Amino acid sequence: MELQIKDLSKTYSNGVHALKNVSLNIPQGMFGLLGPNGAGKSSLMRTLATLQQADSGSIMLDDIDILKDKGRVREILGYLPQEFGVYPKISSYNMLNHIASLKGISNKDERKDLVESLLNKTNLWDVRNKSLGTYSGGMKQRFGIAQALIGEPKLIVVDEPTAGLDPAERVRFHNLLSEIGENTIVILSTHIVDDVSNLCNNMAIICLGEVVAQGKPSALIENV
Ligand code: ADP
Ligand code: ADP
């Protein structure tokens, strides 16, 4: 499995060139997209999640055309946006159960098994009946991963997930990402060099909408 991004460009209506001929080959495993604020990371992530259109270029996941075949993309994609909002008055258990049924898992027992395994995997079992509005930032992010994993996505897009998390929560979140990164493609956008060097098998550096380097973290980041 490989994700191939070719010559992707996006200019917003205000004239900002957020993506300039971005080309990336992303294999299975954890991929880090490293860049400062304003580099174009979220623009690329939203385009991958088919939430906004590019002006030109293509994105292929093996034979799936991400920009054209949105129906199929929604089936294979898990997305955790940068600003992840939750419904404050519903519990994580009920919300995951609801999303699973929306995603077509109609068998009650199957849904129960799935929801329980996601709550365990993301360490939310103990708070499964508490409403999401009472969760800490780290708990919300872990819930975000749980909901993104419903449907066994092949591609998981995570946009700046650890902003605002305390160090212990960051470590916890990173461990979770490494676990799920084994047989999927996980794209992690971040401005934190350590996140990429600690977690990712491959990476790219993006700056002012342009890919300035791509390769192994050990080759691109000093002292790894
Ligand atoms: P488009 O130009 O593709 O139609 P929109 O103007 O609809 O995009 O904005 C999409 C999202 O980006 C919205 O959530 C909006 O709040 C956010 N946004 C708008 N302008 C900026 C900006 N300058 N920097 C970052 N985000 C922005
Ligand atoms: P990053 O995620 O790396 O911080 P973004 O993709 O959010 O980068 O932003 C890239 C550039 O595009 C920035 O200059 C930002 O202000 C601008 N931008 C992002 N979204 C919008 C939007 N919806 N409308 C206009 N400009 C935007």
Side-chain angles (χ1 to χ4, degrees), residues 18-19 33-48 82 159-160 188-192 206 209:
L19 300 171
L33 183 68
L34 181 68
N37 281 338
K41 302 184 296 299
S42 290
S43 297
L44 179 57
M45 305 301 250
R46 290 196 297 260
T47 309
L48 278 168
Q82 187 170 14
D159 198 359
E160 294 262 9
L188 168 72
S189 103
T190 180
H191 63 275
I192 302 168
I206 183 171

Side-chain angles (χ1 to χ4, degrees), residues 30 121-123 138-139 141-142 145 161-180 188 192 194-195 198-199:
M30 292 275 300
K121 186 178 267 187
T122 54
N123 251 300
M139 287 153 80
Q141 287 300 71
R142 282 186 274 129
I145 288 292
T162 57
L165 299 193
D166 65 41
E169 267 293 3
R170 265 183 68 201
V171 170
R172 204 173 222 188
F173 191 81
H174 286 163
N175 292 341
L176 177 59
L177 282 185
S178 322
E179 270 173 43
I180 60 178
L188 168 72
I192 302 168
D194 282 352
D195 286 0
N198 292 337
L199 284 172

